[in-house]
């Protein structure tokens, strides 16, 4: 059974760094073809893809966030991470992590974690 | 970036009706197209991938079609549990991009 769960700070101030953790089970990020991605959704709005990391540590980022994103993984502890530097109010959203594979896009999603950026 | 234009933005339909939602890509995405369903307060759920492959566990009243730049999601015999927002996503190119969503309500 595949499950994913996001965790984060809940609230942070502008200019701080947002650190998110995705803890998953039911698959391994060391298995060929596996990957974890991060997607966010401001309240009442659409979905925005942020970053993907593959089993072989290949990484892809949304260029609209310029160089503010860093995705990483800890295979032995079944976790993936996303850092967003220099946050502002526009980064307020629910952040999801999701599994993908070579054969399928995001087939399992976490429940999401709400992040509010406010002074 | 590939732009995904989804239509309509909202839709009202009756139980048992057939519903169609369209997604137009700004360039050829070679059927690397997924459809997701998101119910209020919940995470998105994968319905269709590779334009027309039904994800395990998804009812067969959902189907996808299309190629090139034009894709559609069809829901046959609309059920009350289908009330949700539907998103398309292209994964042919990075950055992956989503349509703006279609909010489906019951008439």
């Amino acid at each position: 059974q595949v499950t994913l769960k996001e965790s984060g700070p809940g609230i942070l101030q502008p200019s701080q760094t947002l650190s998110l953790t995705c803890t998953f089970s039911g698959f391994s990020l060391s298995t060929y073809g596996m990957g974890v991605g991060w997607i966010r959704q401001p309240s009442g709005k659409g979905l925005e893809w942020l970053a993907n990391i593959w089993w072989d540590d290949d990484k892809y980022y949304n260029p609209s966030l310029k160089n503010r994103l860093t995705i990483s993984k800890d295979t032995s502890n079944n976790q993936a991470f996303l850092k967003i530097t220099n946050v502002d109010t526009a980064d307020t959203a629910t952040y999801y992590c999701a599994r993908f594979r070579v054969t399928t896009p995001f087939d399992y999603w976490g429940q999401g974690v709400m992040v509010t950026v406010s002074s | 970036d590939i732009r995904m234009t989804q239509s309509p933005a909202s839709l009202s339909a009756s139980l048992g009706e057939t519903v169609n939602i369209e997604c137009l890509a700004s360039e050829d995405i070679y059927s690397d197209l997924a459809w997701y369903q998101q119910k209020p307060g919940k995470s998105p759920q994968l319905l269709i991938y590779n334009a027309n492959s039904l994800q395990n566990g998804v009812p067969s009243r959902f189907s996808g079609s299309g190629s090139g730049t034009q894709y559609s999601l069809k829901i046959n015999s609309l059920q009350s549990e289908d009330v949700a927002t539907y998103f398309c996503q292209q994964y042919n190119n990075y950055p992956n991009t989503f349509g703006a969503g279609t909010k489906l309500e019951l008439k």
Side-chain angles (χ1 to χ4, degrees):
Chain A
Q1 179 191 3
V2 173
T3 64
L4 302 97
K5 187 173 184 179
E6 307 86 349
S7 57
I11 186 165
L12 67 166
Q13 295 185 335
S15 81
Q16 289 186 320
T17 295
L18 170 60
S19 295
L20 297 167
T21 299
C22 176
T23 303
F24 54 86
S25 63
F27 69 98
S28 172
L29 253 183
S30 61
T31 299
Y32 173 88
M34 290 292 180
V36 168
W38 288 92
I39 305 99
R40 71 181 180 182
Q41 184 174 38
S43 181
K45 297 193 176 179
L47 300 165
E48 179 182 29
W49 172 78
L50 298 176
N52 280 358
I53 188 165
W54 288 89
W55 86 100
D56 61 358
D57 213 37
D58 210 3
K59 300 166 187 174
Y60 294 87
Y61 296 103
N62 192 327
S64 71
L65 279 84
K66 298 188 174 70
N67 298 318
R68 299 172 53 212
L69 300 176
T70 304
I71 192 169
S72 60
K73 61 183 172 69
D74 179 350
T75 302
S76 54
N77 286 310
N78 284 342
Q79 292 181 314
F81 309 97
L82 183 71
K83 288 190 191 297
I84 306 179
T85 60
N86 193 27
V87 298
D88 70 8
T89 55
D91 295 308
T92 294
T94 295
Y95 287 76
Y96 297 100
C97 63
R99 187 188 83 161
F100 65 92
R101 297 179 289 170
V102 165
T103 52
T104 52
F106 301 118
D107 57 354
Y108 288 91
W109 294 61
Q111 63 190 26
V113 61
M114 284 188 61
V115 174
T116 302
V117 180
S118 174
S119 55
Chain B
D1 298 6
I2 296 176
R3 185 174 60 256
M4 304 300 292
T5 304
Q6 192 173 337
S7 62
S10 63
L11 180 55
S12 183
S14 303
L15 290 174
E17 199 173 322
T18 295
V19 167
N20 281 287
I21 299 169
E22 310 288 328
C23 210
L24 178 67
S26 60
E27 60 187 79
D28 196 329
I29 56 171
Y30 302 95
S31 296
D32 290 333
L33 190 283
W35 291 98
Y36 299 90
Q37 176 193 66
Q38 186 178 32
K39 296 182 179 180
K42 300 293 187 183
S43 309
Q45 300 291 313
L46 179 64
L47 299 175
I48 302 284
Y49 62 98
N50 295 347
N52 59 16
S53 296
L54 192 67
Q55 174 67 352
N56 289 343
V58 174
S60 58
R61 64 179 180 276
F62 292 91
S63 63
S65 63
S67 62
T69 61
Q70 299 188 59
Y71 299 88
S72 62
L73 173 71
K74 183 178 180 180
I75 310 173
N76 284 318
S77 189
L78 188 69
Q79 305 294 303
S80 57
E81 59 264 33
D82 301 334
V83 169
T85 300
Y86 293 84
F87 295 95
C88 61
Q89 178 218 358
Q90 70 79 20
Y91 48 96
N92 180 254
N93 264 341
Y94 285 112
N96 291 174
T97 44
F98 290 88
T102 296
K103 188 173 183 180
L104 175 59
E105 298 173 325
L106 281 179
K107 194 179 291 182

